[in-house]
Amino acid sequence: MSGTALLQPEPMPLVTCTVSRDVQIFDLLIEDMETALGERWGDLGFDDALAFLAQPEAKALEFLAIALDAEDEADLSPVTRVIATAKSMGIKVILITEDVSPASLHALLREGGDEFVPYPLPEGELAQAIERVLTPEEEEPVAPEIQNKLKATGDRSGVVIPVQGMAGGVGATTFAVNLAWELANVEKNDPPRVVLLDLDFQFGSASTYLDLPRREAVLEMLSDTEAMDSDVFMQALLSYNQRLQVLTAPTDLIPMDLVGPADIERIIETARVNFDYVVIDMPTTMVEWSQAVLEAAHVYFALLELDMRSAQNTLRLKRALQAEELPFDKLRFLLNRAPKFTDLNGKARVKRLAESLGISIEVQLPDGSKQVAQADDHGMPLSETAPKNPLRKEILKLATSVHEVNTSDAMEARG
């Protein structure tokens, strides 16, 4: 028998560690880590993680999976210390969170978290998050024709015009995009500076309707608005035909509450001092920062249709705003796909709708038919694809009226 010792295979080096108060709390995470990485991962507490990161073996780590729940929110300092140390070493950080408030998640992402996954873990989500942090997609360079070439001025006092649909599918984004475009072209010789903000962070489609790409730069700006200045804001914008500047929705879905009222206030104010008109495409749902937009608005366009959904939601919104003593009088109700002039029965229904809700329907927008969907699908405003479309004509008339009122008010203020 040979005296040579049987060589044992060396264990594979660790590529990651979970870091948590107690990993047993996150039993589904253990299963997903084993499925994704086999035995190439370890488990550490927050204090142990800091000690391990100081060891030479830690240089082989590619990422940390930091798991926390509501109990950890009482003191996030151990978590932030681990994140800061990992980032200083070039180690990626995935946050796995259960019942953690948006404010805390926002703070941890600002500290350096690269990805977050909700717990319990959706099927395959951890593996996808690992792939994203280890093989980040390189953002394609912005094409010269859609680069925002406008510089920050900081000398404007823009009119803030949010647009919100009272129900899904009532045409609010189409209206917001086309209103912004008409305002940007309302004067040929000295056109106003107009920006369109898509604040529907999850399903915003303003970029689709203008054939613009979504950018990681938007999420980076949203994640740290305290560090945002006018230059950072302007760099996050894209341009449509060098006339309309657009802040697109982020590339990936993010929680609507990732930003708070203070973040939205900073974004709107930064836009307002650099543009003459700030058109905001709002999400259909009401969120924590909706009040901040309403209070910043000069006029708030609310689109509805002649159906029960719109009527019920309008009534709910009216009651909610009035109960909180919020400025309901800023809302201007627009009826989309309104009955034709010759439809007397339809006109009567519109009158009954307004009376039953106790509102005034100030503008009735005609049905633009298939040309509207075609323009949206081609990523172009109606004026570019169907300038004689009745809906386009009505939006142009409204944009002209808004600009005339604003110009008149500005002249009165000066003189």
Side-chain angles (χ1 to χ4, degrees):
M1 183 174 179
S2 170
T4 305
L6 183 62
L7 297 176
Q8 297 292 331
E10 292 186 7
M12 298 183 69
L14 299 181
V15 297
T16 185
C17 288
T18 57
V19 183
S20 63
R21 190 176 73 256
D22 180 0
V23 75
Q24 295 302 322
I25 300 172
F26 304 92
D27 52 346
L28 296 178
L29 174 60
I30 298 174
E31 295 178 14
D32 278 21
M33 293 292 286
E34 290 176 347
T35 300
L37 299 161
E39 298 181 357
R40 294 184 299 154
W41 68 282
D43 171 54
L44 298 167
F46 291 112
D47 292 336
D48 296 333
L50 291 173
F52 180 74
L53 290 173
Q55 303 300 316
E57 295 87 345
K59 294 180 180 179
L61 295 180
E62 296 178 355
F63 70 95
L64 293 180
I66 300 179
L68 62 157
D69 59 17
E71 194 172 325
D72 294 297
E73 282 195 270
D75 182 11
L76 290 175
S77 57
V79 186
T80 56
R81 284 196 293 268
V82 171
I83 293 176
T85 304
K87 301 308 291 184
S88 68
M89 299 171 63
I91 299 171
K92 299 289 187 178
V93 174
I94 298 176
L95 301 169
I96 295 98
T97 63
E98 181 179 24
D99 297 330
V100 172
S101 69
S104 295
L105 179 58
H106 189 178
L108 294 174
L109 289 170
R110 183 180 297 170
E111 289 291 333
D114 295 289
E115 284 279 343
F116 74 92
V117 182
Y119 186 91
L121 296 151
E123 184 71 27
E125 185 62 28
L126 179 63
Q128 294 175 21
I130 293 172
E131 183 179 359
R132 286 196 296 268
V133 298
L134 297 185
T135 56
E137 296 182 4
E138 293 185 7
E139 191 170 22
E140 294 184 7
V142 177
E145 61 270 19
I146 62 173
Q147 286 180 353
N148 171 34
K149 296 181 172 61
L150 289 183
K151 301 299 181 184
T153 60
D155 61 352
R156 305 290 168 124
S157 184
V159 177
V160 179
I161 310 174
V163 176
Q164 181 162 356
M166 291 294 97
V170 299
T173 297
T174 295
F175 174 78
V177 166
N178 282 276
L179 176 66
W181 178 246
E182 298 295 352
L183 284 170
N185 291 274
V186 72
E187 290 189 17
K188 293 188 188 254
N189 297 328
D190 185 21
R193 289 164 62 111
V194 182
V195 64
L196 171 65
L197 308 181
D198 191 345
L199 297 190
D200 187 353
F201 300 134
Q202 294 189 335
F203 299 110
S205 52
S207 59
T208 303
Y209 291 0
L210 292 171
D211 195 24
L212 297 172
R214 299 180 183 223
R215 302 178 62 206
E216 292 293 339
V218 175
L219 180 56
E220 293 174 9
M221 186 192 77
L222 294 175
S223 299
D224 191 7
T225 62
E226 290 182 3
M228 177 191 70
D229 58 17
S230 288
D231 291 330
V232 170
F233 175 78
M234 299 298 280
Q235 289 168 10
L237 303 179
L238 294 177
S239 181
Y240 182 80
N241 284 4
Q242 295 303 316
R243 275 295 180 97
L244 174 63
Q245 315 312 312
V246 183
L247 182 73
T248 70
T251 305
D252 298 316
L253 291 180
I254 67 171
M256 294 301 294
D257 291 336
L258 181 64
V259 297
D263 299 300
I264 295 299
E265 288 169 4
R266 293 187 194 101
I267 292 170
I268 294 177
E269 180 60 19
T270 305
R272 200 180 67 80
V273 300
N274 288 290
F275 289 90
D276 299 300
Y277 294 101
V278 181
V279 179
I280 303 175
D281 188 21
M282 293 288 288
T284 303
T285 183
M286 300 299 289
V287 291
E288 181 188 13
W289 43 263
S290 297
Q291 179 179 341
V293 178
L294 177 59
E295 291 179 343
H298 292 83
V299 59
Y300 198 113
F301 287 132
L303 266 75
L304 64 157
E305 287 190 12
L306 196 57
D307 59 20
M308 189 59 69
R309 300 176 312 146
S310 296
Q312 291 177 336
N313 292 343
T314 299
L315 190 58
R316 291 189 186 104
L317 179 62
K318 178 182 177 181
R319 288 172 176 169
L321 296 184
Q322 291 180 338
E324 296 294 328
E325 297 184 353
L326 295 174
F328 178 75
D329 58 330
K330 287 187 177 182
L331 270 65
R332 298 291 182 270
F333 289 95
L334 283 63
L335 182 69
N336 198 16
R337 304 183 181 100
K340 293 182 179 180
F341 182 76
T342 54
D343 184 357
L344 299 182
N345 182 49
K347 293 291 185 183
R349 289 178 60 205
V350 173
K351 183 179 179 182
R352 288 197 301 270
L353 174 68
E355 290 175 348
S356 65
L357 296 176
I359 63 173
S360 173
I361 297 177
E362 302 190 13
V363 177
Q364 296 189 33
L365 301 171
D367 188 345
S369 70
K370 293 181 180 179
Q371 290 181 328
V372 176
Q374 291 170 350
D376 291 343
D377 288 344
H378 285 88
M380 301 173 70
L382 275 167
S383 67
E384 305 292 289
T385 61
K388 296 183 180 180
N389 183 279
L391 176 60
R392 186 264 163 164
K393 289 181 178 179
E394 198 64 36
I395 296 176
L396 172 60
K397 187 189 304 182
L398 181 60
T400 303
S401 174
V402 168
H403 184 62
E404 288 175 350
V405 170
N406 181 46
T407 303
S408 175
D409 289 348
M411 292 179 64
E412 287 181 11
R414 285 196 296 266

